[in-house]
Amino acid sequence: MFYLISPLLLFFSILIDGIFGGILISFFVFFISPPDVRFQDENIKIYKVHSGLLAGCCQYEITQNEFLLFEKKIGEFRFEENLQFEKSKIKYNDKKLTIKMLLKEYNAETENYYAKDSVISIPLKRYSR
């Protein structure tokens, strides 16, 4: 029944347009949107968490592969910018995650962006089973 009604509700929410329409669309898209994997290697994955329409920016969740099919959540962090980890170097140990990457900074005096070599060290929250 949910799948039959959701296209009608999405259509009406687009017609309504505004905050109510945005809330309805984000509610239904939340259930059908795939997880946003930002980084993946043989051991860990970093997902961007979808927190909703009015949530703060850029919360990430770190999981570790277990038994080929399962994932164990090993931590989470929040960053002020939307990160892409494609060319970055990531090191992981039990207590922290270290990311080496290039970040763009804006210089207001020259009105230009410049690349800044950065190291982000993130302490991880540990979750019990």
Short mmCIF file of all heavy atoms in Angstrom, two decimals, residues 7-39:
data_model
loop_
_atom_site.label_atom_id
_atom_site.label_comp_id
_atom_site.label_asym_id
_atom_site.label_seq_id
_atom_site.Cartn_x
_atom_site.Cartn_y
_atom_site.Cartn_z
N PRO A 7 3.67 7.70 -4.81
CA PRO A 7 3.73 8.60 -5.97
C PRO A 7 2.69 9.71 -5.93
O PRO A 7 2.95 10.84 -6.33
CB PRO A 7 3.51 7.68 -7.17
CG PRO A 7 3.87 6.33 -6.69
CD PRO A 7 3.54 6.31 -5.24
N LEU A 8 1.50 9.39 -5.43
CA LEU A 8 0.47 10.42 -5.31
C LEU A 8 0.86 11.49 -4.30
O LEU A 8 0.69 12.69 -4.55
CB LEU A 8 -0.87 9.79 -4.90
CG LEU A 8 -1.52 8.88 -5.95
CD1 LEU A 8 -2.73 8.19 -5.36
CD2 LEU A 8 -1.89 9.69 -7.17
N LEU A 9 1.40 11.07 -3.16
CA LEU A 9 1.83 12.04 -2.17
C LEU A 9 2.99 12.89 -2.66
O LEU A 9 3.06 14.09 -2.37
CB LEU A 9 2.19 11.34 -0.87
CG LEU A 9 1.02 10.73 -0.09
CD1 LEU A 9 1.53 9.95 1.09
CD2 LEU A 9 0.07 11.82 0.34
N LEU A 10 3.91 12.29 -3.41
CA LEU A 10 5.01 13.07 -3.99
C LEU A 10 4.49 14.10 -4.98
O LEU A 10 4.95 15.24 -5.01
CB LEU A 10 6.02 12.14 -4.66
CG LEU A 10 6.89 11.32 -3.73
CD1 LEU A 10 7.74 10.34 -4.53
CD2 LEU A 10 7.75 12.20 -2.88
N PHE A 11 3.52 13.70 -5.80
CA PHE A 11 2.94 14.62 -6.76
C PHE A 11 2.26 15.79 -6.06
O PHE A 11 2.45 16.95 -6.43
CB PHE A 11 1.95 13.88 -7.67
CG PHE A 11 1.24 14.78 -8.63
CD1 PHE A 11 1.92 15.32 -9.72
CD2 PHE A 11 -0.09 15.10 -8.44
CE1 PHE A 11 1.27 16.16 -10.59
CE2 PHE A 11 -0.75 15.94 -9.31
CZ PHE A 11 -0.07 16.48 -10.40
N PHE A 12 1.47 15.50 -5.03
CA PHE A 12 0.80 16.57 -4.30
C PHE A 12 1.79 17.45 -3.55
O PHE A 12 1.59 18.65 -3.43
CB PHE A 12 -0.24 15.99 -3.33
CG PHE A 12 -1.47 15.49 -4.03
CD1 PHE A 12 -1.88 14.19 -3.86
CD2 PHE A 12 -2.20 16.31 -4.87
CE1 PHE A 12 -2.99 13.71 -4.51
CE2 PHE A 12 -3.32 15.85 -5.52
CZ PHE A 12 -3.73 14.54 -5.34
N SER A 13 2.86 16.87 -3.05
CA SER A 13 3.84 17.69 -2.35
C SER A 13 4.58 18.62 -3.30
O SER A 13 4.96 19.73 -2.93
CB SER A 13 4.83 16.80 -1.59
OG SER A 13 5.59 16.04 -2.49
N ILE A 14 4.78 18.18 -4.55
CA ILE A 14 5.40 19.07 -5.53
C ILE A 14 4.44 20.21 -5.87
O ILE A 14 4.84 21.36 -6.04
CB ILE A 14 5.81 18.29 -6.79
CG1 ILE A 14 6.98 17.36 -6.45
CG2 ILE A 14 6.18 19.21 -7.94
CD1 ILE A 14 7.31 16.38 -7.53
N LEU A 15 3.16 19.89 -5.94
CA LEU A 15 2.17 20.94 -6.20
C LEU A 15 2.09 21.93 -5.05
O LEU A 15 1.94 23.13 -5.26
CB LEU A 15 0.79 20.31 -6.42
CG LEU A 15 0.59 19.57 -7.74
CD1 LEU A 15 -0.81 18.99 -7.81
CD2 LEU A 15 0.82 20.49 -8.92
N ILE A 16 2.17 21.44 -3.83
CA ILE A 16 2.09 22.32 -2.67
C ILE A 16 3.30 23.25 -2.63
O ILE A 16 3.18 24.42 -2.36
CB ILE A 16 1.98 21.48 -1.37
CG1 ILE A 16 0.64 20.76 -1.35
CG2 ILE A 16 2.14 22.35 -0.15
CD1 ILE A 16 0.52 19.75 -0.26
N ASP A 17 4.47 22.70 -2.93
CA ASP A 17 5.72 23.45 -2.98
C ASP A 17 5.93 24.28 -1.71
O ASP A 17 5.03 24.91 -1.22
CB ASP A 17 5.77 24.36 -4.21
CG ASP A 17 7.19 24.74 -4.55
OD1 ASP A 17 8.09 23.96 -4.22
OD2 ASP A 17 7.39 25.79 -5.16
N GLY A 18 7.10 24.25 -1.23
CA GLY A 18 7.42 24.97 0.00
C GLY A 18 7.91 24.01 1.05
O GLY A 18 8.35 22.91 0.76
N ILE A 19 7.84 24.41 2.29
CA ILE A 19 8.40 23.62 3.37
C ILE A 19 7.62 22.33 3.57
O ILE A 19 8.21 21.28 3.81
CB ILE A 19 8.50 24.44 4.68
CG1 ILE A 19 9.34 23.70 5.73
CG2 ILE A 19 7.14 24.73 5.26
CD1 ILE A 19 10.78 23.69 5.43
N PHE A 20 6.30 22.36 3.44
CA PHE A 20 5.51 21.15 3.61
C PHE A 20 5.83 20.15 2.50
O PHE A 20 5.99 18.95 2.75
CB PHE A 20 4.02 21.48 3.63
CG PHE A 20 3.15 20.28 3.86
CD1 PHE A 20 3.17 19.61 5.07
CD2 PHE A 20 2.33 19.81 2.84
CE1 PHE A 20 2.37 18.51 5.28
CE2 PHE A 20 1.54 18.70 3.04
CZ PHE A 20 1.56 18.04 4.26
N GLY A 21 5.94 20.62 1.28
CA GLY A 21 6.30 19.74 0.16
C GLY A 21 7.69 19.16 0.32
O GLY A 21 7.93 17.99 0.04
N GLY A 22 8.63 19.98 0.80
CA GLY A 22 9.99 19.49 1.04
C GLY A 22 10.05 18.43 2.11
O GLY A 22 10.79 17.45 2.01
N ILE A 23 9.26 18.61 3.16
CA ILE A 23 9.23 17.62 4.24
C ILE A 23 8.64 16.32 3.74
O ILE A 23 9.17 15.24 4.02
CB ILE A 23 8.46 18.17 5.45
CG1 ILE A 23 9.26 19.29 6.11
CG2 ILE A 23 8.16 17.06 6.46
CD1 ILE A 23 8.51 20.04 7.17
N LEU A 24 7.56 16.37 2.97
CA LEU A 24 6.97 15.14 2.43
C LEU A 24 7.91 14.42 1.48
O LEU A 24 8.07 13.21 1.53
CB LEU A 24 5.65 15.45 1.72
CG LEU A 24 4.45 15.69 2.60
CD1 LEU A 24 3.25 16.06 1.76
CD2 LEU A 24 4.14 14.46 3.44
N ILE A 25 8.56 15.17 0.60
CA ILE A 25 9.49 14.56 -0.35
C ILE A 25 10.66 13.92 0.39
O ILE A 25 11.04 12.79 0.10
CB ILE A 25 9.97 15.59 -1.38
CG1 ILE A 25 8.85 15.91 -2.36
CG2 ILE A 25 11.18 15.07 -2.14
CD1 ILE A 25 9.18 17.02 -3.32
N SER A 26 11.24 14.61 1.37
CA SER A 26 12.38 14.03 2.08
C SER A 26 11.98 12.81 2.88
O SER A 26 12.76 11.87 3.03
CB SER A 26 13.02 15.07 2.99
OG SER A 26 12.16 15.39 4.07
N PHE A 27 10.75 12.77 3.39
CA PHE A 27 10.29 11.59 4.13
C PHE A 27 10.21 10.37 3.23
O PHE A 27 10.66 9.28 3.60
CB PHE A 27 8.92 11.87 4.77
CG PHE A 27 8.35 10.70 5.50
CD1 PHE A 27 8.87 10.32 6.72
CD2 PHE A 27 7.32 9.96 4.95
CE1 PHE A 27 8.36 9.23 7.40
CE2 PHE A 27 6.80 8.88 5.62
CZ PHE A 27 7.32 8.50 6.84
N PHE A 28 9.67 10.51 2.03
CA PHE A 28 9.52 9.35 1.16
C PHE A 28 10.81 8.98 0.44
O PHE A 28 11.06 7.81 0.19
CB PHE A 28 8.39 9.58 0.14
CG PHE A 28 7.04 9.53 0.78
CD1 PHE A 28 6.30 10.67 1.00
CD2 PHE A 28 6.52 8.31 1.20
CE1 PHE A 28 5.07 10.61 1.61
CE2 PHE A 28 5.29 8.24 1.82
CZ PHE A 28 4.56 9.40 2.02
N VAL A 29 11.63 9.96 0.12
CA VAL A 29 12.90 9.66 -0.54
C VAL A 29 13.87 8.98 0.43
O VAL A 29 14.71 8.17 0.02
CB VAL A 29 13.49 10.95 -1.15
CG1 VAL A 29 14.92 10.76 -1.61
CG2 VAL A 29 12.63 11.42 -2.30
N PHE A 30 13.73 9.26 1.72
CA PHE A 30 14.59 8.65 2.74
C PHE A 30 14.52 7.12 2.68
O PHE A 30 15.51 6.44 2.84
CB PHE A 30 14.19 9.16 4.12
CG PHE A 30 14.96 8.54 5.24
CD1 PHE A 30 16.27 8.93 5.48
CD2 PHE A 30 14.42 7.56 6.03
CE1 PHE A 30 17.01 8.38 6.50
CE2 PHE A 30 15.14 7.00 7.07
CZ PHE A 30 16.44 7.40 7.29
N PHE A 31 13.34 6.57 2.43
CA PHE A 31 13.17 5.12 2.43
C PHE A 31 13.68 4.45 1.17
O PHE A 31 14.00 3.26 1.18
CB PHE A 31 11.70 4.76 2.64
CG PHE A 31 11.21 5.10 4.01
CD1 PHE A 31 10.34 6.14 4.21
CD2 PHE A 31 11.65 4.39 5.11
CE1 PHE A 31 9.90 6.46 5.47
CE2 PHE A 31 11.23 4.70 6.38
CZ PHE A 31 10.35 5.74 6.56
N ILE A 32 13.75 5.16 0.06
CA ILE A 32 14.16 4.52 -1.20
C ILE A 32 15.54 4.94 -1.67
O ILE A 32 16.03 4.41 -2.66
CB ILE A 32 13.12 4.79 -2.31
CG1 ILE A 32 12.99 6.29 -2.59
CG2 ILE A 32 11.78 4.19 -1.96
CD1 ILE A 32 12.10 6.62 -3.76
N SER A 33 16.18 5.88 -0.99
CA SER A 33 17.50 6.32 -1.43
C SER A 33 18.57 5.32 -0.99
O SER A 33 18.56 4.85 0.14
CB SER A 33 17.82 7.71 -0.88
OG SER A 33 17.90 7.67 0.51
N PRO A 34 19.52 5.02 -1.87
CA PRO A 34 20.61 4.10 -1.49
C PRO A 34 21.60 4.80 -0.57
O PRO A 34 21.67 6.03 -0.56
CB PRO A 34 21.26 3.74 -2.83
CG PRO A 34 20.96 4.92 -3.70
CD PRO A 34 19.62 5.44 -3.25
N PRO A 35 22.37 4.04 0.20
CA PRO A 35 23.38 4.68 1.06
C PRO A 35 24.46 5.35 0.21
O PRO A 35 24.84 4.86 -0.85
CB PRO A 35 23.94 3.52 1.87
CG PRO A 35 23.59 2.30 1.12
CD PRO A 35 22.36 2.60 0.33
N ASP A 36 24.94 6.48 0.68
CA ASP A 36 25.94 7.27 -0.03
C ASP A 36 27.33 6.87 0.46
O ASP A 36 27.78 7.36 1.49
CB ASP A 36 25.67 8.75 0.21
CG ASP A 36 26.53 9.66 -0.62
OD1 ASP A 36 27.29 9.15 -1.48
OD2 ASP A 36 26.46 10.88 -0.41
N VAL A 37 28.00 5.97 -0.27
CA VAL A 37 29.33 5.51 0.11
C VAL A 37 30.35 6.52 -0.41
O VAL A 37 30.47 6.74 -1.60
CB VAL A 37 29.62 4.11 -0.46
CG1 VAL A 37 31.02 3.65 -0.09
CG2 VAL A 37 28.59 3.11 0.03
N ARG A 38 31.11 7.13 0.50
CA ARG A 38 32.11 8.12 0.11
C ARG A 38 33.50 7.53 -0.02
O ARG A 38 34.33 8.07 -0.72
CB ARG A 38 32.14 9.26 1.13
CG ARG A 38 30.89 10.09 1.15
CD ARG A 38 30.72 10.76 -0.20
NE ARG A 38 29.47 11.44 -0.33
CZ ARG A 38 29.34 12.75 -0.31
NH1 ARG A 38 30.38 13.51 -0.14
NH2 ARG A 38 28.16 13.28 -0.47
N PHE A 39 33.77 6.45 0.70
CA PHE A 39 35.07 5.79 0.61
C PHE A 39 34.87 4.31 0.91
O PHE A 39 34.07 3.94 1.76
CB PHE A 39 36.06 6.39 1.62
CG PHE A 39 37.39 5.71 1.63
CD1 PHE A 39 38.34 5.99 0.66
CD2 PHE A 39 37.70 4.77 2.58
CE1 PHE A 39 39.56 5.36 0.65
CE2 PHE A 39 38.92 4.13 2.60
CZ PHE A 39 39.86 4.42 1.62
#
